[in-house]
Amino acid sequence: MTLPSLFVAHGSPMLALEDNGYTRFLENLGRELPVPEAIAVFSAHWDEPDQLLSVDETNGTMHDFYGFPDAMYELRYPAPGSPSLVGRMKALFEAGNLPYQTVSGRGLDHGVWVILQKMYPEANIPVVELSVDSKRSPSEQYAIGAMLKELRRENVLIIGSGGLVHNLRMLAQTDTPDPWAVEFDEWVAEKLESWKIGDLFDYDKKAPHARQAVPSYGVEHFIPLFYAMGAADDDRQAKRLFQDYQLGNLSLNCWMFGS
């Protein structure tokens, strides 16, 4: 069985407690997809120059945010790790001449567990978290994802967790989407659906409102898209499964890559 790869927006950590159209979509998505043997997540909240992989026997839960309700800090997502998946990733990274390091004791950050506790609430599927590197070029990020494409045929679900429009300084108390955010998302959508990776790699120069949508201090939220796309490099298909907005321009979207 070959699973798709996914780009999933993780929005605000409050998604963990919310019941809305997006959280219900994520719950349904977990039920509709074939049950994976393991899940690998490239998270925007682990931005490091080296490629890192989590190797805990049981994953801890990071509460890497502040100022939220007490209930947020009581949530746990104790999914097991996967030594066998880590071993496969090591071999694939070595074949691609990509240096890597393993990390234990960190736990899953909210870019991982907030979406997974909606998709797979029983926390019984092994999870390995991977770092991203916002200093790399989009083509390099895509290439790292492509190193893992074989895993999709081994019933591993590969997810890039971030946000296509994620500029916390421009959020507003409104339910009406900002036109500039919608225009940026639609530009990305057209390029994804036609797999125009050259344009996407140059999004910062070609996309409308790129500076607002992907500010220099928030690039790490956009780039998980390239890791997820790369994982479907042998099956270049893209389908948008969900699109909505919170707080004017916080884009909540999910893209599926591959058939």
Side-chain angles (χ1 to χ4, degrees):
M1 178 181 296
T2 300
L3 290 176
S5 61
L6 300 173
F7 174 82
V8 181
H10 60 249
S12 161
M14 282 299 293
L15 282 177
L17 297 179
E18 291 175 347
D19 177 16
N20 55 39
Y22 188 51
T23 62
R24 290 190 290 273
F25 160 77
L26 291 174
E27 291 165 359
N28 288 332
L29 181 63
R31 289 190 288 264
E32 292 171 358
L33 288 171
V35 178
E37 292 188 13
I39 304 169
V41 186
F42 287 96
S43 174
H45 289 279
W46 201 7
D47 187 4
E48 297 287 347
D50 297 317
Q51 183 59 62
L52 305 180
L53 304 85
S54 66
V55 293
D56 293 309
E57 181 176 341
T58 300
N59 287 296
T61 305
M62 294 179 66
H63 299 93
D64 50 333
F65 41 75
Y66 59 91
F68 287 83
D70 290 345
M72 286 294 300
Y73 302 94
E74 298 170 2
L75 294 173
R76 299 290 185 273
Y77 193 79
S82 177
S84 61
L85 178 55
V86 169
R88 285 288 288 127
M89 289 178 175
K90 288 180 178 180
L92 293 170
F93 286 151
E94 287 167 5
N97 294 314
L98 178 70
Y100 63 84
Q101 297 181 38
T102 57
V103 175
S104 62
R106 177 179 181 272
L108 303 176
D109 60 56
H110 78 269
V112 179
W113 67 262
V114 164
I115 60 174
L116 292 187
Q117 61 95 25
K118 294 296 183 185
M119 295 175 66
Y120 303 105
E122 295 181 0
N124 59 352
I125 300 174
V127 178
V128 174
E129 180 171 351
L130 300 102
S131 64
V132 298
D133 182 2
S134 61
K135 300 296 192 296
R136 291 183 185 268
S137 68
S139 61
E140 290 177 303
Q141 294 154 358
Y142 184 100
I144 291 172
M147 292 177 192
L148 303 182
K149 62 188 178 185
E150 293 179 17
L151 297 178
R152 293 174 44 235
R153 294 192 291 272
E154 301 170 16
N155 205 24
V156 175
L157 180 62
I158 300 175
I159 299 175
S161 174
L164 299 188
V165 180
H166 194 95
N167 188 339
L168 301 185
R169 297 179 188 176
M170 297 191 73
L171 299 182
Q173 296 299 320
T174 177
D175 292 329
T176 303
D178 290 332
W180 63 265
V182 175
E183 189 175 347
F184 178 83
D185 265 329
E186 291 308 311
W187 183 91
V188 172
E190 189 277 325
K191 304 304 179 185
L192 286 174
E193 288 166 351
S194 53
W195 211 267
K196 295 180 180 176
I197 57 176
D199 287 340
L200 286 165
F201 289 170
D202 287 334
Y203 76 91
D204 55 337
K205 303 177 185 68
K206 295 183 176 180
H209 315 293
R211 290 186 179 180
Q212 293 101 309
V214 188
S216 59
Y217 51 84
V219 175
E220 75 287 341
H221 273 76
F222 187 77
I223 62 172
L225 175 71
F226 298 126
Y227 290 88
M229 286 183 72
D233 181 61
D234 54 352
D235 188 5
R236 297 184 171 193
Q237 300 180 56
K239 181 180 181 181
R240 181 161 52 180
L241 303 181
F242 189 92
Q243 181 69 65
D244 202 357
Y245 297 88
Q246 288 182 324
L247 301 172
N249 53 66
L250 185 61
S251 184
L252 300 178
N253 41 35
C254 179
W255 281 89
M256 180 172 69
F257 305 119
S259 56

